[in-house]
mmCIF file of all heavy atoms in Angstrom:
data_model
loop_
_atom_site.group_PDB
_atom_site.id
_atom_site.type_symbol
_atom_site.label_atom_id
_atom_site.label_comp_id
_atom_site.label_asym_id
_atom_site.label_seq_id
_atom_site.Cartn_x
_atom_site.Cartn_y
_atom_site.Cartn_z
ATOM 1 N N ILE A 37 -15.220 -17.848 -6.780
ATOM 2 C CA ILE A 37 -13.877 -18.160 -6.387
ATOM 3 C C ILE A 37 -12.795 -17.228 -7.002
ATOM 4 O O ILE A 37 -11.977 -16.698 -6.390
ATOM 5 C CB ILE A 37 -13.562 -19.586 -6.841
ATOM 6 C CG1 ILE A 37 -14.446 -20.604 -6.167
ATOM 7 C CG2 ILE A 37 -12.000 -19.941 -6.507
ATOM 8 C CD1 ILE A 37 -14.258 -21.982 -6.566
ATOM 9 N N ASP A 38 -13.063 -16.955 -8.355
ATOM 10 C CA ASP A 38 -12.098 -16.089 -9.030
ATOM 11 C C ASP A 38 -12.855 -15.179 -9.899
ATOM 12 O O ASP A 38 -13.825 -15.632 -10.688
ATOM 13 C CB ASP A 38 -11.147 -16.935 -9.922
ATOM 14 C CG ASP A 38 -10.108 -16.135 -10.613
ATOM 15 O OD1 ASP A 38 -9.307 -15.348 -10.014
ATOM 16 O OD2 ASP A 38 -10.132 -16.144 -11.903
ATOM 17 N N GLY A 39 -12.533 -13.910 -9.936
ATOM 18 C CA GLY A 39 -13.278 -12.917 -10.780
ATOM 19 C C GLY A 39 -13.996 -11.888 -10.075
ATOM 20 O O GLY A 39 -14.979 -11.279 -10.482
ATOM 21 N N PHE A 40 -13.460 -11.552 -8.758
ATOM 22 C CA PHE A 40 -14.187 -10.581 -7.984
ATOM 23 C C PHE A 40 -14.135 -9.147 -8.644
ATOM 24 O O PHE A 40 -15.158 -8.465 -8.570
ATOM 25 C CB PHE A 40 -13.579 -10.443 -6.546
ATOM 26 C CG PHE A 40 -13.711 -11.761 -5.769
ATOM 27 C CD1 PHE A 40 -12.914 -12.822 -5.810
ATOM 28 C CD2 PHE A 40 -14.984 -12.000 -5.002
ATOM 29 C CE1 PHE A 40 -13.091 -14.010 -5.025
ATOM 30 C CE2 PHE A 40 -15.165 -13.110 -4.279
ATOM 31 C CZ PHE A 40 -14.202 -14.087 -4.339
ATOM 32 N N LYS A 41 -13.011 -8.756 -9.153
ATOM 33 C CA LYS A 41 -12.900 -7.422 -9.713
ATOM 34 C C LYS A 41 -13.775 -7.325 -10.952
ATOM 35 O O LYS A 41 -14.409 -6.301 -11.176
ATOM 36 C CB LYS A 41 -11.439 -7.136 -10.113
ATOM 37 C CG LYS A 41 -10.490 -7.165 -8.883
ATOM 38 C CD LYS A 41 -9.075 -6.789 -9.343
ATOM 39 C CE LYS A 41 -8.075 -6.962 -8.197
ATOM 40 N NZ LYS A 41 -7.842 -8.378 -7.928
ATOM 41 N N ARG A 42 -13.847 -8.424 -11.751
ATOM 42 C CA ARG A 42 -14.699 -8.457 -12.990
ATOM 43 C C ARG A 42 -16.144 -8.416 -12.572
ATOM 44 O O ARG A 42 -17.010 -7.774 -13.111
ATOM 45 C CB ARG A 42 -14.503 -9.791 -13.710
ATOM 46 C CG ARG A 42 -13.380 -9.749 -14.690
ATOM 47 C CD ARG A 42 -12.902 -11.156 -15.155
ATOM 48 N NE ARG A 42 -12.035 -11.780 -14.088
ATOM 49 C CZ ARG A 42 -11.818 -13.124 -14.183
ATOM 50 N NH1 ARG A 42 -12.246 -13.871 -15.184
ATOM 51 N NH2 ARG A 42 -11.019 -13.597 -13.150
ATOM 52 N N TYR A 43 -16.508 -8.987 -11.399
ATOM 53 C CA TYR A 43 -17.879 -8.953 -10.936
ATOM 54 C C TYR A 43 -18.298 -7.571 -10.572
ATOM 55 O O TYR A 43 -19.323 -7.039 -10.932
ATOM 56 C CB TYR A 43 -18.039 -9.904 -9.716
ATOM 57 C CG TYR A 43 -19.445 -9.800 -8.993
ATOM 58 C CD1 TYR A 43 -20.490 -10.501 -9.564
ATOM 59 C CD2 TYR A 43 -19.627 -9.026 -7.949
ATOM 60 C CE1 TYR A 43 -21.712 -10.544 -8.921
ATOM 61 C CE2 TYR A 43 -20.863 -8.962 -7.281
ATOM 62 C CZ TYR A 43 -21.934 -9.726 -7.815
ATOM 63 O OH TYR A 43 -23.130 -9.654 -7.183
ATOM 64 N N TYR A 44 -17.415 -6.886 -9.699
ATOM 65 C CA TYR A 44 -17.682 -5.543 -9.283
ATOM 66 C C TYR A 44 -17.716 -4.554 -10.438
ATOM 67 O O TYR A 44 -18.521 -3.589 -10.517
ATOM 68 C CB TYR A 44 -16.650 -4.981 -8.234
ATOM 69 C CG TYR A 44 -16.797 -5.842 -6.879
ATOM 70 C CD1 TYR A 44 -15.721 -6.421 -6.341
ATOM 71 C CD2 TYR A 44 -18.011 -5.768 -6.237
ATOM 72 C CE1 TYR A 44 -15.898 -7.079 -5.168
ATOM 73 C CE2 TYR A 44 -18.185 -6.449 -4.982
ATOM 74 C CZ TYR A 44 -17.084 -7.175 -4.517
ATOM 75 O OH TYR A 44 -17.161 -7.725 -3.293
ATOM 76 N N ALA A 45 -16.781 -4.720 -11.440
ATOM 77 C CA ALA A 45 -16.794 -3.977 -12.573
ATOM 78 C C ALA A 45 -17.937 -4.101 -13.442
ATOM 79 O O ALA A 45 -18.600 -3.145 -14.016
ATOM 80 C CB ALA A 45 -15.528 -4.208 -13.460
ATOM 81 N N ALA A 46 -18.482 -5.331 -13.525
ATOM 82 C CA ALA A 46 -19.784 -5.568 -14.317
ATOM 83 C C ALA A 46 -20.931 -4.854 -13.582
ATOM 84 O O ALA A 46 -21.849 -4.354 -14.317
ATOM 85 C CB ALA A 46 -20.021 -7.116 -14.300
ATOM 86 N N GLU A 47 -21.020 -4.854 -12.285
ATOM 87 C CA GLU A 47 -22.027 -4.133 -11.657
ATOM 88 C C GLU A 47 -21.983 -2.644 -11.899
ATOM 89 O O GLU A 47 -23.061 -1.979 -12.218
ATOM 90 C CB GLU A 47 -21.925 -4.369 -10.109
ATOM 91 C CG GLU A 47 -22.386 -5.680 -9.599
ATOM 92 C CD GLU A 47 -22.446 -5.700 -8.028
ATOM 93 O OE1 GLU A 47 -21.554 -5.130 -7.502
ATOM 94 O OE2 GLU A 47 -23.443 -6.270 -7.505
ATOM 95 N N ALA A 48 -20.791 -2.125 -11.928
ATOM 96 C CA ALA A 48 -20.603 -0.670 -12.232
ATOM 97 C C ALA A 48 -20.911 -0.306 -13.699
ATOM 98 O O ALA A 48 -21.548 0.701 -13.902
ATOM 99 C CB ALA A 48 -19.181 -0.228 -11.930
ATOM 100 N N CYS A 49 -20.737 -1.253 -14.606
ATOM 101 C CA CYS A 49 -21.104 -1.045 -16.011
ATOM 102 C C CYS A 49 -22.476 -1.397 -16.366
ATOM 103 O O CYS A 49 -22.892 -1.205 -17.508
ATOM 104 C CB CYS A 49 -20.151 -1.906 -16.902
ATOM 105 S SG CYS A 49 -18.351 -1.502 -16.852
ATOM 106 N N GLY A 50 -23.227 -1.882 -15.430
ATOM 107 C CA GLY A 50 -24.575 -2.240 -15.679
ATOM 108 C C GLY A 50 -24.794 -3.632 -16.386
ATOM 109 O O GLY A 50 -25.782 -3.851 -17.036
ATOM 110 N N ILE A 51 -23.727 -4.391 -16.431
ATOM 111 C CA ILE A 51 -23.841 -5.813 -17.085
ATOM 112 C C ILE A 51 -24.521 -6.715 -16.120
ATOM 113 O O ILE A 51 -24.087 -6.940 -15.006
ATOM 114 C CB ILE A 51 -22.366 -6.233 -17.395
ATOM 115 C CG1 ILE A 51 -21.714 -5.235 -18.328
ATOM 116 C CG2 ILE A 51 -22.398 -7.630 -17.995
ATOM 117 C CD1 ILE A 51 -20.214 -5.617 -18.682
ATOM 118 N N ASP A 52 -25.519 -7.333 -16.622
ATOM 119 C CA ASP A 52 -26.420 -8.175 -15.598
ATOM 120 C C ASP A 52 -26.062 -9.687 -15.754
ATOM 121 O O ASP A 52 -26.682 -10.507 -15.059
ATOM 122 C CB ASP A 52 -27.819 -7.894 -15.880
ATOM 123 C CG ASP A 52 -28.311 -8.184 -17.335
ATOM 124 O OD1 ASP A 52 -27.431 -8.711 -18.037
ATOM 125 O OD2 ASP A 52 -29.472 -7.878 -17.696
ATOM 126 N N ALA A 53 -25.137 -10.077 -16.593
ATOM 127 C CA ALA A 53 -24.872 -11.484 -16.697
ATOM 128 C C ALA A 53 -23.317 -11.652 -17.140
ATOM 129 O O ALA A 53 -22.763 -10.838 -17.831
ATOM 130 C CB ALA A 53 -25.690 -12.145 -17.733
ATOM 131 N N LEU A 54 -22.665 -12.648 -16.580
ATOM 132 C CA LEU A 54 -21.247 -12.924 -16.854
ATOM 133 C C LEU A 54 -21.063 -14.351 -17.194
ATOM 134 O O LEU A 54 -21.827 -15.246 -16.634
ATOM 135 C CB LEU A 54 -20.367 -12.630 -15.561
ATOM 136 C CG LEU A 54 -20.184 -11.149 -15.163
ATOM 137 C CD1 LEU A 54 -19.475 -11.165 -13.787
ATOM 138 C CD2 LEU A 54 -19.315 -10.493 -16.197
ATOM 139 N N GLN A 55 -20.123 -14.625 -18.096
ATOM 140 C CA GLN A 55 -19.755 -15.936 -18.418
ATOM 141 C C GLN A 55 -19.077 -16.540 -17.126
ATOM 142 O O GLN A 55 -18.239 -15.906 -16.523
ATOM 143 C CB GLN A 55 -18.829 -16.048 -19.587
ATOM 144 C CG GLN A 55 -19.510 -15.621 -20.850
ATOM 145 C CD GLN A 55 -18.467 -15.741 -22.091
ATOM 146 O OE1 GLN A 55 -17.231 -15.869 -21.815
ATOM 147 N NE2 GLN A 55 -18.927 -15.546 -23.301
ATOM 148 N N CYS A 56 -19.436 -17.834 -16.822
ATOM 149 C CA CYS A 56 -18.856 -18.409 -15.546
ATOM 150 C C CYS A 56 -18.533 -19.885 -15.748
ATOM 151 O O CYS A 56 -19.314 -20.599 -16.415
ATOM 152 C CB CYS A 56 -19.994 -18.294 -14.484
ATOM 153 S SG CYS A 56 -19.485 -19.023 -12.875
ATOM 154 N N ARG A 57 -17.455 -20.229 -15.218
ATOM 155 C CA ARG A 57 -17.053 -21.645 -15.167
ATOM 156 C C ARG A 57 -17.487 -22.138 -13.861
ATOM 157 O O ARG A 57 -16.959 -21.718 -12.791
ATOM 158 C CB ARG A 57 -15.485 -21.790 -15.385
ATOM 159 C CG ARG A 57 -15.051 -23.257 -15.462
ATOM 160 C CD ARG A 57 -13.545 -23.349 -15.430
ATOM 161 N NE ARG A 57 -13.103 -24.768 -15.331
ATOM 162 C CZ ARG A 57 -11.858 -25.092 -15.238
ATOM 163 N NH1 ARG A 57 -10.909 -24.180 -15.081
ATOM 164 N NH2 ARG A 57 -11.441 -26.362 -15.188
ATOM 165 N N LEU A 58 -18.326 -23.114 -13.824
ATOM 166 C CA LEU A 58 -18.946 -23.615 -12.550
ATOM 167 C C LEU A 58 -18.381 -24.952 -12.154
ATOM 168 O O LEU A 58 -18.387 -25.914 -12.991
ATOM 169 C CB LEU A 58 -20.524 -23.734 -12.760
ATOM 170 C CG LEU A 58 -21.284 -23.799 -11.462
ATOM 171 C CD1 LEU A 58 -21.126 -22.732 -10.544
ATOM 172 C CD2 LEU A 58 -22.820 -23.932 -11.779
#
Side-chain angles (χ1 to χ4, degrees):
I37 299 173
D38 181 61
F40 293 93
K41 299 182 187 73
R42 277 164 281 169
Y43 175 82
Y44 291 123
E47 283 189 323
C49 294
I51 300 173
D52 57 7
L54 287 171
Q55 294 179 352
C56 177
R57 182 184 177 192
L58 194 59

